[in-house]
Amino acid sequence: MATGTGALSWQHRVRIASSVAAGLASLHQIGVVHGNLNSGNILLDDPGSTAYLSEHWISTLCGGQKNLEQIVLDHQLYNSAWCDPALAAGSLASAATDMYSLGVILLELLLGRLPAQTMRPTAPGSLYKVADRYQGTKALLKVLDTQAGPWDLNAASILHKTACQCLNPSHPGRPSSQEVAQQLSMLLRMHNKRTKQKVVALRGMSDWR
């Protein structure tokens, strides 16, 4: 996820997260599992605000469940850092396993780094435990990517909470892509509203000068 123009601001990162969740929700609504979601498969437009998903396994569109299972079990064709441990254990790709991958991407956007070797999910719930350590404003402030500029702590907290929900070791405990898309869309609307209010207030102050 790069635009060639340097580090992305936190506002851009929230927009990217919202776009990715919305794209995933569109796939899930028509019964399509992406199956290969990772930051390398996210394309950004020139401003870097809108994200597009690429490289989902076409076998999910063709009803090739057997082929999909073979692909999932072939670790050489799957990016394990973003992979739900359930897949490595032999489970089939599903909307819930896509949500795990989304959770890893949300952590990337917050921390500004790729999933480290030590963070790879060698056991169910391991990455969830790593993310859960950042609960609370003080802990989160220590790990946020400073290259994104001064973070809005409410936005950072919501992204972190959503990431933890997506990484829940229990598949039924994970939110749907539609729920995450709606939540992040609401976060964007609230931010845009506050920004407009600040602009109006600043204009009002300048009028009095």
Side-chain angles (χ1 to χ4, degrees):
M1 287 184 293
T3 59
T5 57
L8 294 167
S9 69
W10 72 264
Q11 294 93 333
H12 276 95
R13 297 179 195 213
V14 172
R15 293 189 189 102
I16 290 169
S18 181
S19 290
V20 172
L24 199 57
S26 295
L27 288 178
H28 290 172
Q29 284 176 346
I30 59 174
V32 174
V33 174
H34 189 286
N36 191 24
L37 186 62
N38 63 77
S39 56
N41 289 343
I42 296 174
L43 308 178
L44 303 181
D45 63 2
D46 190 41
S49 298
T50 304
Y52 302 91
L53 305 184
S54 66
E55 293 188 29
H56 68 277
W57 291 331
I58 195 66
S59 56
T60 59
L61 289 171
C62 303
Q65 192 62 59
K66 183 177 179 180
N67 292 334
L68 176 60
E69 183 176 4
Q70 291 171 349
I71 293 173
V72 171
L73 294 177
D74 187 347
H75 294 178
Q76 293 182 345
L77 294 179
Y78 195 81
N79 296 279
S80 61
W82 292 266
C83 177
D84 186 332
L87 292 177
S91 295
L92 294 179
S94 65
T97 60
D98 276 351
M99 295 311 294
Y100 183 96
S101 302
L102 178 60
V104 179
I105 290 170
L106 294 182
L107 281 186
E108 287 184 75
L109 291 169
L110 280 168
L111 309 183
R113 47 193 169 93
L114 294 172
Q117 183 71 33
T118 55
M119 291 176 63
R120 289 190 177 182
T122 54
S126 59
L127 189 55
Y128 172 79
K129 291 177 182 178
V130 172
D132 195 51
R133 295 175 193 166
Y134 309 145
Q135 290 285 3
T137 303
K138 289 184 179 180
L140 195 56
L141 278 172
K142 293 179 181 179
V143 294
L144 288 176
D145 185 10
T146 56
Q147 293 188 73
W151 278 84
D152 178 281
L153 290 182
N154 180 59
S157 296
I158 290 175
L159 276 184
H160 175 257
K161 181 180 179 180
T162 304
C164 286
Q165 292 172 340
C166 292
L167 295 170
N168 192 320
S170 170
H171 284 194
R174 295 174 189 170
S176 69
S177 52
Q178 290 85 353
E179 289 170 335
V180 173
Q182 289 172 1
Q183 186 176 34
L184 296 182
S185 177
M186 185 180 300
L187 174 60
L188 277 179
R189 289 197 299 270
M190 289 172 60
H191 169 68
N192 292 337
K193 183 178 179 179
R194 287 198 300 269
T195 301
K196 289 179 181 178
Q197 289 173 340
K198 288 180 181 179
V199 170
V200 170
L202 289 173
R203 286 177 178 172
M205 290 175 64
S206 64
D207 290 341
W208 280 97
R209 293 177 181 176

